[in-house]
Amino acid sequence: MTRTRSSESDEDSSPTTTGGGGGRGRTEMRVIVPLQGVVQGRGGLVLGSVIPCALFYLLQLYFKRHRSEPTPPPQTLTEVSELNRSLSRTHLSPRGSSAPACVSTRANSIVKSSDSPFYVGLKRVSEDPYDELSNPEGVIQLGLAENKLSLDLARDWLAETAKDSILSGGGSSGPLSMAGIANYQASDGLVELKVAVAGFMSQVMERSISFNPSQIVLTAGATPAIEILSFCLADTGNAFLVPTPYYPSFDRDLKWRTGVEIIPVPCRSADNFNLSISALDLAFDQGKKRGLKVRGIVISNPSNPVGNLLNRETIYTLVDFAREKNIHIISNEIFAGSTHGSEEFVSMAEIIDSEDLDRDRVHIVYGLSKDLCLPGFKVGVIYSSNENVLAAAKKLSRFSSISAPTQCLVISMLSDIRFIQKFIQTNRERLQRMYTKFVAGLKQLGIECMRSSGGFYCWADMRGLIRSYSEKGELELWNKLLNIAKINVTPGSSCHCIEPGWFHCCFTTLTEQDISVVMERIRKVSETCKSPR
Amino acid sequence: MNHSRSRRNPTREPDFPTVKPPSPGGSSSGGAGAAMRLIVPLQGVVQGRGGLILGSIIPGALYYFFQLYLKRCRSAKPNSNPPSPSSSSAQLADLSRSSSRSNLSSRGSVGPVRVSARANSIAKPNASPYYIGLEMASEDPYDRFDNPDGIMQLGLSENRLSLDLIETWILENLERSMIGGADGHLNISGIATYQPLDGMMEMKIAVAGFMSQVMGTTVSFDPSRLVLTSGATPAIETLCFCLADQGNAFLVPTPYYPGFDRDMKWRTGVELIPVHCRSSDNFALSVTALDQAFNQARKRGQKVRGILISNPSNPIGNMLNKETLYSLLDFAREKNIHIISDEIFAGSTYGSEEFVSMAEILESEDFDKNRVHIIYGLSKDLSLPGFRVGVIYSFNTSVLAAAKKLARFSSVSAPTQRILISMLSDTRFIQRYIETTRERIKKMYVAFAAGLKQLGIECTKSSAGLYCWADMSGLIRPYNEKGELELWDKLLKIGKINITPGSACHCIEPGWFRCCFTMLAEEDIPVVIKRIQRVVET
């Protein structure tokens, strides 16, 4: 662009130059000619392209200098007021006119990042939680995927064995080992816990997959497990494909500190929100066109807001797709044991088990927060057979290791096979019963749910209740449900769902009696919504 | 990019109008003056100032293109860059074996999948003697009875002197603390369910109380300014994320704790600029050295965002006095940078000197509190590294807000918090614990330093920490890093004791070693001294 411009202007000026100097002295000519060469000919072209570039470079340099200096100070106001108060020591230093200390731009963006309705709702509930007896007017929590249905089982077990299990360092009846809990331990988890977790995983996934404890890295919850994988698989500016609707916190876990981008791959209600490879392919190409380097796909199986499972065929096509594009797959299987349908859960671990090249590109995230109902314990799992990923993740686990007493507690809990067996079974039955009741309750109100067979939640279609078929309408309904009906559900838009009117409702923090209260509250709002139509 | 490119044209135009105007004037008058008028400016461009401009512009442009070229090449390179040899060879073997499914895809000719560049650099095997030593010692640990020929661990600053006290308390109180409630009814939702990610309020109150108890009760800590993390390691990293962006730097007085290289740099992309302290100053921090390092960094175009100090200092064991703290704060204000003060050893003092916390200075005088951030933890002063409890204490509301949100990546598990809440609230136990531990550390320090002295090895005067900083410069053959590492290697492989060489702590003078003595029993000291002696004599 600039090049053509400059050569045009050269040609404008040069003919007139010759015209002007036409009949004049030769000496002048001699001077002019070489100059003409410079301006008109190749030299002009070179200069014409070189000068703008140089200027551009200088401009960039200028911008760079200026950008790094005035980082937007968010706390100016508070500090300005403190500045005039500061006394004695300020006067000691002659150059004492300093600005407030700025925090980093990434911290600023984390602080400023407006909370999505998902987080707003969670906060509202924590401020005014519903309690059947002490706070019947409070907000009912349907936004947090937490299972309280089987807490009694965990409580009974802990009441009996907690002390012994911690003091024995996790062994069933070993001698007291204070050193086992007080001292420094391997940051990626005790080997005994890895063995126990591997056993639990294969028990939960019900199939003949065995997990190799040496391929496990333990972290303080699944959240850092996801972040560590994101750090290991992608560099700043790279991207992951994530089918929508997805778990709202992926936006924090995958992106915040890693600088990685998420490319949403929309799934639609017409396909039952199933993942389609053509949509993946499209998103991959679009990412490429935008100059983004796609490093992997992140899936949740069972899917998080929807609750459906990936069947074996889809998993194989996914792996084929990943191989074709030479990218990774992160499979978040944290709800693997919390299934309630008849459908069979297929773990990505089957791929890792196979003797294929593909095992290096598949990484599984797991945790005990959902299937063992112990989110407070903060135990997350990275399972991978990629040596580089394992080596890096083990070293990075120093930033999120699990405390030893908790590990000992979990070791003996998981080693109690009979308890675990009973727990898994009872928990599934209870989950199934709640799911059936909750969905039936919604159905009475005319709200259909997507058929699902995993997770603590259902994906409810409230398109009939929103006034304008848009994100605005959806958020209006969400707001009414939160502030009038006092129930906190997660709107589809927080999960980046492309279609408005879908809501994520977790029913496992409720008791059975609560269901009727919830339905009553939704009914009140839905009637006000329907009447004007 | 295009946008800014076209915007730059106006700046270029002034050159051409000077060429252009003569043309209408020249053709109408037809005089020589017109040509002259034309030539002169052009001549000016080529010969005079213009030449100077062009001469500087052309290399600039070329440099820019060169940069662009490099950038392109670099971003394309990872595709051709082989991963670490071990995995690639393993994958090659797999390739030939891979059968059915790879044939399904028509374009199936893909190489092994790559991990990120940052993971690759992290995954590389340990190079620092600090980690190599730790690893070797953990593979073959010394035990007086079971493995008397094992490696003795003097490289890890862990306090095992007072474990018996903790043990007694836990035996008596564990049930009550976990199960809670006076009625003996297990409050399961207090430990099993989701808790605030930055720590329970009760825990923050208990930790704040412990901190002021440890630091001599002159300071009170506000629990609402605490963020709890799973160990001090993520506390440091979180602060680093909050205070600096990729490519920014922190000034760190050397010798410093080897773990900083991982905690501060790995994932944050922040650089550490060593500020050298010397044995002639007793390794005390000097503000002139800080100033010099700051200016040098600025010249290199690096943006310094803060100073990271450990007080009591980690490999040395000396403490910063009030005057130094004041001048540090002045320096930070003058340069408008932050201070991270790692005070994790605050309670592990054994000298007569008194520990002064940054928090105390800030309370007593009107400093700009927003730039000071304190790191603490229960790993050293409560001897519970296995519990993984770290603390960020900051006065800066933005930092606190960001750190609270980032705590999701490193929360402390609830059962641990419950145990600690009741342990820390048992003030009488804590008081007794702190006193006893101090006495025991002191006794060990005296015995250990005396043992080294017998071998002619002097230690820097120190008054805190779980270690001493020993001067073995007389024992190394070539007086340089190589000689130091040779001695370290001999001590590890022949003497079977693992200590940390100064070079791992970025110490500028060779021959210094950090020896942690709190992992030992008193009976072990003569064994250590004998082993050192054996190596020294060879």
Side-chain angles (χ1 to χ4, degrees):
Chain A
M1 187 179 157
T2 39
R3 186 177 291 191
T4 52
R5 242 199 186 218
S6 57
S7 51
E8 265 168 31
S9 49
D10 289 346
E11 271 147 35
D12 281 350
S13 56
S14 42
T16 50
T17 316
T18 43
R24 288 284 128 195
R26 289 211 167 168
T27 44
E28 283 164 19
M29 260 322 257
R30 246 180 290 152
V31 182
I32 294 165
V33 172
L35 280 173
Q36 238 178 342
V38 169
V39 179
Q40 247 183 346
R42 258 177 312 156
L45 217 113
V46 168
L47 279 189
S49 55
V50 155
I51 294 174
C53 289
L55 289 174
F56 178 59
Y57 173 73
L58 289 178
L59 191 80
Q60 266 202 332
L61 212 76
Y62 172 82
F63 273 138
K64 207 168 159 190
R65 285 241 175 114
H66 279 250
R67 204 177 305 142
S68 51
E69 265 169 40
T71 323
Q75 347 85 309
T76 347
L77 276 181
T78 55
E79 269 153 351
V80 163
S81 60
E82 250 164 58
L83 256 177
N84 27 13
R85 260 192 294 141
S86 75
L87 323 152
S88 58
R89 297 215 64 89
T90 335
H91 302 290
L92 281 182
S93 98
R95 290 173 264 172
S97 65
S98 66
C102 305
V103 300
S104 67
T105 34
R106 50 190 171 197
N108 256 330
S109 70
I110 287 173
V111 173
K112 276 187 196 154
S113 67
S114 63
D115 287 342
S116 73
F118 174 67
Y119 293 103
V120 175
L122 290 184
K123 203 171 160 218
R124 268 300 301 277
V125 179
S126 70
E127 284 160 6
D128 178 24
Y130 170 82
D131 187 287
E132 207 180 328
L133 303 172
S134 58
N135 189 13
E137 294 301 307
V139 183
I140 298 181
Q141 177 67 287
L142 294 153
L144 191 64
E146 178 172 5
N147 184 356
K148 291 188 177 168
L149 300 177
S150 306
L151 271 188
D152 57 327
L153 300 181
R155 184 190 63 217
D156 293 346
W157 187 90
L158 283 172
E160 264 173 46
T161 29
K163 185 184 172 190
D164 296 335
S165 58
I166 289 184
L167 292 181
S168 65
S172 46
S173 61
L176 173 73
S177 83
M178 199 48 217
I181 61 170
N183 294 352
Y184 275 108
Q185 310 292 342
S187 68
D188 60 323
L190 301 171
V191 177
E192 296 95 313
L193 184 55
K194 290 185 183 178
V195 173
V197 165
F200 179 69
M201 282 169 78
S202 33
Q203 210 173 344
V204 146
M205 300 193 186
E206 268 190 338
R207 291 185 42 85
S208 49
I209 320 162
S210 67
F211 291 87
N212 182 352
S214 66
Q215 295 178 16
I216 285 181
V217 174
L218 297 173
T219 57
T223 301
I226 294 171
E227 196 199 31
I228 287 177
L229 274 181
S230 180
F231 264 111
C232 290
L233 303 181
D235 284 301
T236 311
N238 294 165
F240 282 115
L241 301 175
V242 188
T244 68
Y246 62 77
Y247 169 53
S249 293
F250 275 170
D251 286 326
R252 300 188 163 188
D253 304 343
L254 286 168
K255 285 158 70 178
W256 258 2
R257 295 202 291 190
T258 60
V260 170
E261 311 263 320
I262 288 182
I263 302 176
V265 181
C267 302
R268 288 158 201 283
S269 58
D271 308 331
N272 283 328
F273 290 102
N274 280 324
L275 177 63
S276 88
I277 297 292
S278 52
L280 272 179
D281 206 34
L282 200 68
F284 184 89
D285 289 340
Q286 277 170 356
K288 211 172 191 181
K289 259 181 218 153
R290 277 162 53 205
L292 282 176
K293 196 174 173 69
V294 175
R295 299 302 295 258
I297 312 169
V298 183
I299 53 163
S300 304
N301 181 29
S303 110
N304 186 345
V306 182
N308 50 9
L309 310 179
L310 294 183
N311 57 29
R312 186 166 279 114
E313 209 35 59
T314 315
I315 287 182
Y316 279 116
T317 22
L318 248 178
V319 174
D320 283 339
F321 176 78
R323 181 189 319 117
E324 191 188 310
K325 307 294 187 193
N326 196 19
I327 57 180
H328 293 271
I329 298 177
I330 298 178
S331 177
N332 175 17
E333 303 188 352
I334 196 163
F335 287 102
S338 305
T339 50
H340 48 70
S342 52
E343 222 179 315
E344 178 203 33
F345 170 78
V346 185
S347 168
M348 271 287 176
E350 284 191 17
I351 307 293
I352 295 188
D353 247 6
S354 71
E355 290 269 311
D356 225 341
L357 174 68
D358 294 328
R359 59 199 304 202
D360 266 2
R361 65 176 90 249
V362 177
H363 318 277
I364 294 175
V365 170
Y366 189 66
L368 303 182
S369 312
K370 313 294 181 186
D371 289 352
L372 203 58
C373 314
L374 295 176
F377 280 43
K378 309 243 48 88
V379 179
V381 177
I382 295 172
Y383 188 75
S384 169
S385 52
N386 188 313
E387 278 169 44
N388 286 334
V389 170
L390 279 178
K394 270 180 192 168
K395 287 189 175 174
L396 290 178
S397 67
R398 66 191 272 118
F399 300 114
S400 51
S401 36
I402 314 167
S403 76
T406 305
Q407 292 195 54
C408 295
L409 204 55
V410 176
I411 290 170
S412 52
M413 190 184 248
L414 293 180
S415 314
D416 188 343
I417 308 249
R418 207 164 343 137
F419 163 75
I420 293 294
Q421 193 65 49
K422 202 181 103 196
F423 181 90
I424 295 175
Q425 216 174 343
T426 319
N427 187 39
R428 272 198 191 140
E429 281 164 18
R430 293 180 182 177
L431 199 60
Q432 166 102 48
R433 204 165 64 223
M434 279 300 277
Y435 172 73
T436 317
K437 283 205 163 176
F438 194 84
V439 170
L442 285 178
K443 192 159 189 166
Q444 278 184 357
L445 302 176
I447 299 170
E448 292 283 341
C449 292
M450 198 39 76
R451 202 177 75 79
S452 72
S453 31
F456 302 158
Y457 35 74
C458 56
W459 185 239
D461 176 7
M462 304 198 189
R463 284 180 290 184
L465 301 180
I466 60 177
R467 236 167 247 188
S468 63
Y469 184 68
S470 66
E471 194 183 317
K472 204 180 140 223
E474 179 182 292
L475 290 180
E476 257 172 33
L477 178 61
W478 168 75
N479 202 18
K480 263 192 224 161
L481 285 169
L482 183 62
N483 291 315
I484 301 172
K486 301 238 171 180
I487 61 167
N488 173 41
V489 292
T490 310
S493 56
S494 289
C495 308
H496 300 260
C497 183
I498 200 172
E499 298 175 22
W502 292 87
F503 287 83
H504 173 69
C505 315
C506 300
F507 48 77
T508 46
T509 47
L510 307 174
T511 60
E512 272 183 61
Q513 301 92 282
D514 292 338
I515 292 187
S516 50
V517 182
V518 171
M519 293 310 155
E520 187 53 36
R521 290 184 176 192
I522 297 181
R523 198 173 56 82
K524 256 189 289 175
V525 168
S526 74
E527 273 165 7
T528 63
C529 290
K530 274 174 182 166
S531 48
R533 282 199 168 181
Chain B
M1 196 174 155
N2 254 328
H3 181 64
S4 54
R5 248 192 183 222
S6 51
R7 247 214 304 177
R8 188 204 350 82
N9 271 326
T11 50
R12 211 196 74 227
E13 264 153 10
D15 275 349
F16 284 94
T18 56
V19 180
K20 238 178 163 180
S23 55
S27 56
S28 59
S29 68
M36 263 320 263
R37 245 183 289 157
L38 184 81
I39 294 161
V40 172
L42 279 174
Q43 237 177 345
V45 168
V46 178
Q47 264 183 335
R49 255 179 314 154
L52 216 118
I53 290 172
L54 280 187
S56 56
I57 276 174
I58 293 172
L62 289 175
Y63 177 62
Y64 171 73
F65 277 121
F66 182 63
Q67 265 201 335
L68 212 73
Y69 171 80
L70 279 185
K71 209 168 159 190
R72 286 241 176 112
C73 285
R74 206 180 304 146
S75 58
K77 210 163 58 180
N79 275 329
S80 56
N81 192 20
S84 78
S86 63
S87 67
S88 74
S89 60
Q91 279 154 346
L92 277 180
D94 272 343
L95 252 175
S96 48
R97 262 190 292 145
S98 79
S99 47
S100 59
R101 295 217 62 90
S102 52
N103 297 340
L104 278 181
S105 96
S106 49
R107 292 172 261 172
S109 67
V110 285
V113 69
R114 241 153 287 280
V115 301
S116 66
R118 50 190 170 197
N120 253 334
S121 70
I122 289 170
K124 270 185 212 141
N126 297 325
S128 158
Y130 173 67
Y131 293 104
I132 296 171
L134 288 183
E135 210 170 282
M136 281 189 66
S138 74
E139 276 161 14
D140 178 24
Y142 170 83
D143 188 287
R144 216 173 309 148
F145 307 108
D146 298 340
N147 190 12
D149 289 323
I151 298 177
M152 299 182 97
Q153 180 63 283
L154 291 106
L156 191 63
S157 65
E158 176 173 332
N159 185 355
R160 293 193 181 162
L161 300 176
S162 301
L163 274 189
D164 56 325
L165 300 181
I166 302 272
E167 188 178 312
T168 325
W169 187 91
I170 285 192
L171 273 178
E172 280 168 15
N173 300 288
L174 181 66
E175 208 142 15
R176 187 179 52 78
S177 64
M178 284 261 306
I179 289 165
D183 53 349
H185 202 68
L186 177 67
N187 175 18
I188 184 74
S189 56
I191 60 170
T193 59
Y194 276 107
Q195 306 293 337
L197 297 167
D198 57 322
M200 304 178 195
M201 200 55 206
E202 297 107 295
M203 175 75 171
K204 290 187 183 177
I205 293 171
V207 169
F210 179 69
M211 283 169 76
S212 37
Q213 210 173 343
V214 147
M215 298 187 187
T217 58
T218 42
V219 218
S220 70
F221 291 87
D222 177 358
S224 66
R225 287 186 187 143
L226 283 179
V227 174
L228 299 176
T229 57
S230 54
T233 301
I236 293 170
E237 195 198 31
T238 304
L239 267 185
C240 192
F241 265 111
C242 292
L243 302 180
D245 284 301
Q246 210 150 13
N248 294 165
F250 271 92
L251 301 176
V252 192
T254 68
Y256 63 77
Y257 164 55
F260 281 162
D261 285 323
R262 299 187 161 190
D263 305 344
M264 296 286 289
K265 284 156 71 177
W266 259 1
R267 298 203 290 190
T268 60
V270 167
E271 313 265 316
L272 296 185
I273 299 173
V275 180
H276 295 297
C277 303
R278 284 157 204 285
S279 57
S280 50
D281 308 329
N282 275 326
F283 293 100
L285 175 63
S286 87
V287 174
T288 31
L290 274 179
D291 201 46
Q292 209 176 5
F294 183 89
N295 290 332
Q296 275 171 0
R298 185 177 256 181
K299 261 180 217 156
R300 270 181 285 144
Q302 227 166 2
K303 196 170 173 68
V304 175
R305 298 303 294 259
I307 314 170
L308 169 65
I309 52 165
S310 36
N311 181 29
S313 113
N314 186 343
I316 317 277
N318 52 7
M319 296 194 277
L320 297 180
N321 57 25
K322 268 192 186 162
E323 217 28 69
T324 316
L325 289 176
Y326 280 129
S327 47
L328 255 176
L329 280 166
D330 281 335
F331 177 76
R333 193 198 29 237
E334 192 189 307
K335 306 295 185 194
N336 192 20
I337 57 180
H338 292 271
I339 297 179
I340 299 180
S341 176
D342 175 5
E343 304 187 351
I344 197 163
F345 289 101
S348 305
T349 54
Y350 46 76
S352 52
E353 221 180 314
E354 203 190 331
F355 170 76
V356 186
S357 166
M358 251 328 168
E360 193 181 330
I361 305 276
L362 287 177
E363 259 180 25
S364 60
E365 287 203 46
D366 219 345
F367 273 107
D368 180 6
K369 295 179 178 164
N370 279 298
R371 60 177 90 252
V372 178
H373 320 275
I374 295 173
I375 299 279
Y376 191 64
L378 302 182
S379 308
K380 314 294 182 187
D381 290 351
L382 202 58
S383 333
L384 291 177
F387 279 48
R388 316 260 5 105
V389 178
V391 177
I392 297 173
Y393 187 78
S394 172
F395 296 90
N396 189 314
T397 43
S398 301
V399 169
L400 279 178
K404 273 180 191 170
K405 286 188 171 180
L406 290 177
R408 65 187 284 115
F409 299 115
S410 50
S411 331
V412 188
S413 75
T416 305
Q417 292 195 50
R418 288 282 163 217
I419 299 174
L420 286 171
I421 289 170
S422 55
M423 186 188 283
L424 295 177
S425 314
D426 187 345
T427 329
R428 200 154 2 125
F429 164 74
I430 294 294
Q431 193 59 46
R432 196 166 57 94
Y433 173 83
I434 294 173
E435 276 167 25
T436 320
T437 309
R438 276 196 188 139
E439 279 164 25
R440 291 182 183 175
I441 298 177
K442 179 166 192 161
K443 205 160 124 202
M444 281 298 281
Y445 171 74
V446 173
F448 192 82
L452 287 180
K453 196 160 188 161
Q454 280 179 358
L455 301 178
I457 299 170
E458 294 281 343
C459 295
T460 313
K461 196 178 92 66
S462 65
S463 40
L466 309 172
Y467 34 74
C468 56
W469 185 240
D471 177 7
M472 306 197 188
S473 53
L475 305 178
I476 62 176
R477 200 52 59 75
Y479 181 70
N480 57 22
E481 195 183 316
K482 204 178 143 225
E484 179 181 294
L485 290 179
E486 255 168 38
L487 179 60
W488 167 77
D489 197 58
K490 262 195 235 160
L491 284 168
L492 183 63
K493 302 211 170 115
I494 303 168
K496 298 245 173 181
I497 62 168
N498 173 42
I499 55 179
T500 310
S503 56
C505 306
H506 299 259
C507 184
I508 200 172
E509 297 175 23
W512 292 85
F513 288 84
R514 185 186 81 158
C515 316
C516 300
F517 48 78
T518 48
M519 301 265 286
L520 307 173
E522 254 179 276
E523 305 91 272
D524 294 334
I525 293 185
V527 184
V528 173
I529 302 299
K530 214 191 272 164
R531 289 187 177 193
I532 297 179
Q533 191 175 19
R534 213 173 50 206
V535 172
V536 167
E537 279 166 2
T538 60

